[in-house]
Amino acid sequence: MADREMRAAYAQALVALAADDRRICVVEADLAKATGTGPFAKAYPDRFFNVGVAEANLVGVASGLAATGKKPFAATFGCFASRRAYDQFFLSANYAGLNVTLVGTDPGVTAAFNGGTHMPLEDLALMRAVPGLTIVEPADPSAVEAAVREAAASDGCTYIRLQRKPAPDIYPAGEAFKAGEAKVLAEGGDVLLVALGALMVGEARKAALLLKAEGLAATVLDLYSLAPIDREAVLKYARLTGRVVSCENHRVTGGVGSAVAEILAEEGVPAKLRRIGAGADEFGEVGTQDWLAERFKLTAPHIAAAAKSMM
Amino acid sequence: MTKNVPETPASQAELKELAARALAVRKGCLESIASLGVGHIGGSMSVVEALVALYFRHMRLDPADAKAADRDLFVLSKGHAGPALYATLAEKGYLDRALLPTLNKGGTRLPSHADRRLTPGVDMSTGSLGQGFSAASGMALGLKMDGPRPDGTMRRCWAIIGDGESDEGQVWEAAAFAAHYKLDNFIAFTDFNKYQIDGSTDEVMRLHDLVAKWEAFGWAALRVDGHDLAALDAAILKARGMKDRPVMIVLDTVKAKGIPAFEGKAESHNAPFGAAELATTLAALDATAEKEAQHGR
């Protein structure tokens, strides 16, 4: 089966939900063509709103809609969703106790040709600092659909970090997901590869195969949500293997690697940790996604090398 | 369930009643601030008449049911005027007046800036300027999506922004949005008291012609004396009749209105205000009210 566009899964999930729930609405900031919510606009024109190039107001309007009982899904590039509209999302949506789903597209190096200005390598770190916020980065189209359903059913706010581009199916259609429950994609006793999002879960799975060829058995965890994080799964496999590689399409500060380090340190788990991600002092750059993934050492060979460095 | 609001200008007797409410709100607000000894007196005093006109005449509400499904919504985007809003909510019956002295004390339901999770009758959390107004535009849109009440009237969203707040870019993002979506159930006020924290609005950031600015953004805009209850009543009635456009009512107000020591001073934004200042001010307010009563205002 050909890889499905993640954004198509997002739009389809919204259209499907909206049929039974009049509260579902979509708010865009002149990036509807990028987000791919055209099918929603066509199906439900009276529940589709474009605020123009105005990300602060995007989140403000979504919060206002939520205050009248709607379930808004607001989307923009992840760099704007996090860095530009952070205070709006923090206060008007989260602090105010409303149900707003903010979708940040083009995470990390998937921003590719839009380059360093548009490359969110810190959105997870920023969002992790918001109390009570659910942070999800789906690894395949089925996970996207689940994330949309979960966010709509939630009482609070959700940040969905959404790669728009196609990704291979990992899970069967209709697979159930729950924030805070990681998926175990492989089990092995030598190292834990803990990954988030389509790009990194894919690279971690490839890295497990590289390691297998060298006689090393890796556990691969798809975290699905960074907040809440599946503490029990991380602990279980960190204790089992004693070696952990965190894999994120993000800077190594404040995201997956940091969250895992906190868990290991707090529980006194004697495990080594290597963090795959853009360096703490690096900004994003322009290039193809493949070139950038190599540039920031996000690919399977780098993950496998990091694992072996701890053996 | 809410009851409909008057469609005609307030009578002399009704204006007198509103003036009495304004006096009570002013006193309640200052008492709450004085109980702590410091607070946002300036911008609280300048919006008292607007709050009274809304809560006691023009907004559809049910104080017995703060979440009434058919109510109008109100957003105090200049969230630092929370003390004036709390005194208004107490006067209207949403809150026990005895709560007012808990303002800004640990564990209170009445924080410095308005908070929808804490205070009955507060529809949106505000304080980071520009955000409340933006959310209010979304609320107006949400009410439009829900359609009219069974009696055919449309639920409205009302908001008050500050003049200093009008420096915020998000205000103008929301302004464009509300006009584009023709949110004629959105009526907002600018508390143009001419002062912000660091000085006068002319010194810090000139606002130019606010009415012209709002009109240029596609709004209907009016300008009125924000302390003249009759003029305010007439302006709001006019705004309620506007079709296809949101309405901005620019209120010419006096910062710290009613506090002789602070009136029209930038220093009144967030100022020490204790028992001594309260006693002097209450006496002055009573004297002014008596004088106005004698002159038939």
Side-chain angles (χ1 to χ4, degrees), chain A residues 209-238:
Chain A
L209 295 177
L210 294 176
L211 290 168
K212 191 177 176 187
E214 299 191 36
L216 296 169
T219 292
V220 179
L221 271 190
D222 167 10
L223 278 179
Y224 173 68
S225 69
L226 178 59
I229 189 167
D230 191 338
R231 203 176 171 89
E232 294 312 309
V234 170
L235 281 173
K236 176 182 169 185
Y237 292 102

Short mmCIF file of all heavy atoms in Angstrom, two decimals, chain A residues 209-238:
data_model
loop_
_atom_site.label_atom_id
_atom_site.label_comp_id
_atom_site.label_asym_id
_atom_site.label_seq_id
_atom_site.Cartn_x
_atom_site.Cartn_y
_atom_site.Cartn_z
N LEU A 209 16.78 -2.68 12.97
CA LEU A 209 17.18 -3.70 12.00
C LEU A 209 18.70 -3.70 11.80
O LEU A 209 19.32 -4.75 11.70
CB LEU A 209 16.47 -3.47 10.65
CG LEU A 209 14.93 -3.62 10.68
CD1 LEU A 209 14.33 -3.29 9.31
CD2 LEU A 209 14.55 -5.05 11.10
N LEU A 210 19.28 -2.51 11.76
CA LEU A 210 20.75 -2.41 11.64
C LEU A 210 21.42 -3.09 12.82
O LEU A 210 22.42 -3.82 12.67
CB LEU A 210 21.18 -0.94 11.56
CG LEU A 210 20.75 -0.13 10.34
CD1 LEU A 210 21.19 1.33 10.47
CD2 LEU A 210 21.33 -0.74 9.06
N LEU A 211 20.87 -2.85 14.00
CA LEU A 211 21.45 -3.44 15.22
C LEU A 211 21.28 -4.96 15.20
O LEU A 211 22.18 -5.71 15.61
CB LEU A 211 20.80 -2.83 16.46
CG LEU A 211 21.16 -1.36 16.72
CD1 LEU A 211 20.24 -0.75 17.78
CD2 LEU A 211 22.63 -1.23 17.15
N LYS A 212 20.10 -5.40 14.73
CA LYS A 212 19.81 -6.82 14.68
C LYS A 212 20.84 -7.55 13.81
O LYS A 212 21.31 -8.64 14.14
CB LYS A 212 18.40 -7.04 14.14
CG LYS A 212 17.88 -8.46 14.28
CD LYS A 212 16.45 -8.56 13.77
CE LYS A 212 15.97 -10.00 13.83
NZ LYS A 212 14.65 -10.18 13.21
N ALA A 213 21.20 -6.88 12.69
CA ALA A 213 22.19 -7.47 11.78
C ALA A 213 23.54 -7.65 12.47
O ALA A 213 24.37 -8.45 12.03
CB ALA A 213 22.35 -6.58 10.55
N GLU A 214 23.74 -6.88 13.53
CA GLU A 214 24.99 -7.00 14.28
C GLU A 214 24.80 -7.79 15.57
O GLU A 214 25.64 -7.74 16.48
CB GLU A 214 25.55 -5.60 14.57
CG GLU A 214 25.84 -4.84 13.28
CD GLU A 214 26.63 -3.56 13.52
OE1 GLU A 214 27.49 -3.55 14.42
OE2 GLU A 214 26.35 -2.58 12.81
N GLY A 215 23.65 -8.44 15.68
CA GLY A 215 23.43 -9.32 16.82
C GLY A 215 22.94 -8.61 18.07
O GLY A 215 22.99 -9.18 19.16
N LEU A 216 22.44 -7.38 17.91
CA LEU A 216 21.95 -6.64 19.08
C LEU A 216 20.43 -6.50 19.00
O LEU A 216 19.89 -6.20 17.93
CB LEU A 216 22.60 -5.25 19.13
CG LEU A 216 24.12 -5.25 19.34
CD1 LEU A 216 24.69 -3.86 19.12
CD2 LEU A 216 24.47 -5.76 20.75
N ALA A 217 19.77 -6.73 20.13
CA ALA A 217 18.30 -6.70 20.15
C ALA A 217 17.82 -5.40 20.79
O ALA A 217 18.17 -5.09 21.93
CB ALA A 217 17.77 -7.89 20.93
N ALA A 218 17.02 -4.66 20.02
CA ALA A 218 16.53 -3.36 20.51
C ALA A 218 15.03 -3.40 20.78
O ALA A 218 14.27 -4.05 20.07
CB ALA A 218 16.82 -2.27 19.48
N THR A 219 14.64 -2.71 21.84
CA THR A 219 13.22 -2.41 22.04
C THR A 219 12.94 -1.07 21.36
O THR A 219 13.73 -0.13 21.50
CB THR A 219 12.88 -2.30 23.54
OG1 THR A 219 13.00 -3.59 24.12
CG2 THR A 219 11.47 -1.77 23.75
N VAL A 220 11.86 -1.01 20.59
CA VAL A 220 11.47 0.26 19.95
C VAL A 220 10.14 0.71 20.54
O VAL A 220 9.14 -0.01 20.47
CB VAL A 220 11.34 0.11 18.42
CG1 VAL A 220 10.92 1.44 17.80
CG2 VAL A 220 12.67 -0.36 17.82
N LEU A 221 10.15 1.89 21.15
CA LEU A 221 8.93 2.46 21.71
C LEU A 221 8.49 3.64 20.86
O LEU A 221 9.28 4.56 20.62
CB LEU A 221 9.19 3.00 23.12
CG LEU A 221 9.03 2.13 24.36
CD1 LEU A 221 9.12 3.03 25.59
CD2 LEU A 221 7.72 1.37 24.35
N ASP A 222 7.25 3.62 20.40
CA ASP A 222 6.63 4.81 19.81
C ASP A 222 5.88 5.49 20.94
O ASP A 222 4.84 5.00 21.40
CB ASP A 222 5.68 4.39 18.68
CG ASP A 222 4.77 5.54 18.23
OD1 ASP A 222 5.00 6.70 18.66
OD2 ASP A 222 3.82 5.27 17.47
N LEU A 223 6.39 6.62 21.40
CA LEU A 223 5.78 7.27 22.57
C LEU A 223 4.34 7.73 22.31
O LEU A 223 3.54 7.79 23.22
CB LEU A 223 6.61 8.49 22.99
CG LEU A 223 7.84 8.25 23.85
CD1 LEU A 223 8.52 9.59 24.11
CD2 LEU A 223 7.47 7.58 25.17
N TYR A 224 4.06 8.12 21.06
CA TYR A 224 2.77 8.70 20.64
C TYR A 224 2.52 10.04 21.33
O TYR A 224 2.31 11.04 20.68
CB TYR A 224 1.60 7.72 20.89
CG TYR A 224 0.24 8.32 20.62
CD1 TYR A 224 -0.16 8.64 19.33
CD2 TYR A 224 -0.65 8.57 21.67
CE1 TYR A 224 -1.41 9.19 19.07
CE2 TYR A 224 -1.91 9.12 21.42
CZ TYR A 224 -2.29 9.44 20.13
OH TYR A 224 -3.53 9.98 19.90
N SER A 225 2.54 10.07 22.66
CA SER A 225 2.41 11.36 23.33
C SER A 225 3.64 11.64 24.18
O SER A 225 4.18 10.74 24.82
CB SER A 225 1.16 11.39 24.21
OG SER A 225 1.29 10.54 25.32
N LEU A 226 4.09 12.89 24.14
CA LEU A 226 5.21 13.30 24.99
C LEU A 226 4.70 13.75 26.35
O LEU A 226 5.39 13.66 27.35
CB LEU A 226 6.00 14.43 24.29
CG LEU A 226 7.18 15.00 25.07
CD1 LEU A 226 8.20 13.91 25.39
CD2 LEU A 226 7.85 16.12 24.28
N ALA A 227 3.48 14.26 26.36
CA ALA A 227 2.84 14.65 27.63
C ALA A 227 1.36 14.28 27.53
O ALA A 227 0.69 14.76 26.62
CB ALA A 227 2.99 16.14 27.89
N PRO A 228 0.86 13.40 28.40
CA PRO A 228 1.66 12.68 29.38
C PRO A 228 2.58 11.68 28.69
O PRO A 228 2.25 11.17 27.62
CB PRO A 228 0.61 11.97 30.24
CG PRO A 228 -0.57 11.81 29.35
CD PRO A 228 -0.56 13.01 28.45
N ILE A 229 3.70 11.38 29.33
CA ILE A 229 4.64 10.41 28.78
C ILE A 229 4.41 9.07 29.48
O ILE A 229 4.02 9.04 30.66
CB ILE A 229 6.09 10.90 28.94
CG1 ILE A 229 7.07 9.99 28.17
CG2 ILE A 229 6.48 11.00 30.41
CD1 ILE A 229 8.47 10.58 28.04
N ASP A 230 4.62 7.99 28.74
CA ASP A 230 4.42 6.65 29.33
C ASP A 230 5.64 6.31 30.19
O ASP A 230 6.58 5.64 29.76
CB ASP A 230 4.24 5.61 28.22
CG ASP A 230 3.77 4.26 28.78
OD1 ASP A 230 3.99 4.02 29.99
OD2 ASP A 230 3.20 3.47 28.02
N ARG A 231 5.58 6.78 31.39
CA ARG A 231 6.67 6.62 32.35
C ARG A 231 6.98 5.14 32.61
O ARG A 231 8.13 4.74 32.67
CB ARG A 231 6.21 7.31 33.63
CG ARG A 231 7.28 7.77 34.55
CD ARG A 231 6.65 8.52 35.74
NE ARG A 231 7.69 8.76 36.71
CZ ARG A 231 8.46 9.84 36.70
NH1 ARG A 231 8.27 10.79 35.81
NH2 ARG A 231 9.42 9.97 37.60
N GLU A 232 5.91 4.37 32.75
CA GLU A 232 6.08 2.95 33.08
C GLU A 232 6.82 2.20 31.98
O GLU A 232 7.70 1.39 32.24
CB GLU A 232 4.71 2.30 33.34
CG GLU A 232 4.01 2.84 34.59
CD GLU A 232 4.94 2.89 35.79
OE1 GLU A 232 5.58 1.86 36.10
OE2 GLU A 232 5.04 3.97 36.42
N ALA A 233 6.45 2.49 30.72
CA ALA A 233 7.10 1.80 29.61
C ALA A 233 8.57 2.18 29.52
O ALA A 233 9.44 1.33 29.30
CB ALA A 233 6.38 2.13 28.30
N VAL A 234 8.86 3.47 29.68
CA VAL A 234 10.26 3.92 29.63
C VAL A 234 11.05 3.23 30.74
O VAL A 234 12.15 2.71 30.51
CB VAL A 234 10.34 5.46 29.77
CG1 VAL A 234 11.79 5.91 29.96
CG2 VAL A 234 9.73 6.14 28.53
N LEU A 235 10.49 3.21 31.94
CA LEU A 235 11.19 2.60 33.08
C LEU A 235 11.42 1.10 32.87
O LEU A 235 12.51 0.59 33.10
CB LEU A 235 10.38 2.81 34.36
CG LEU A 235 10.50 4.19 35.00
CD1 LEU A 235 9.51 4.33 36.15
CD2 LEU A 235 11.94 4.43 35.49
N LYS A 236 10.37 0.43 32.41
CA LYS A 236 10.45 -1.02 32.24
C LYS A 236 11.60 -1.40 31.30
O LYS A 236 12.44 -2.25 31.64
CB LYS A 236 9.12 -1.53 31.68
CG LYS A 236 9.11 -3.03 31.38
CD LYS A 236 7.76 -3.45 30.78
CE LYS A 236 7.85 -4.87 30.24
NZ LYS A 236 6.62 -5.28 29.56
N TYR A 237 11.64 -0.73 30.14
CA TYR A 237 12.64 -1.13 29.15
C TYR A 237 14.01 -0.54 29.44
O TYR A 237 15.04 -1.09 29.04
CB TYR A 237 12.15 -0.82 27.74
CG TYR A 237 10.96 -1.68 27.36
CD1 TYR A 237 9.67 -1.19 27.38
CD2 TYR A 237 11.16 -3.03 27.03
CE1 TYR A 237 8.58 -1.99 27.07
CE2 TYR A 237 10.07 -3.84 26.72
CZ TYR A 237 8.79 -3.31 26.74
OH TYR A 237 7.73 -4.12 26.43
N ALA A 238 14.06 0.60 30.14
CA ALA A 238 15.35 1.16 30.55
C ALA A 238 16.00 0.23 31.57
O ALA A 238 17.21 -0.02 31.54
CB ALA A 238 15.16 2.55 31.13
#
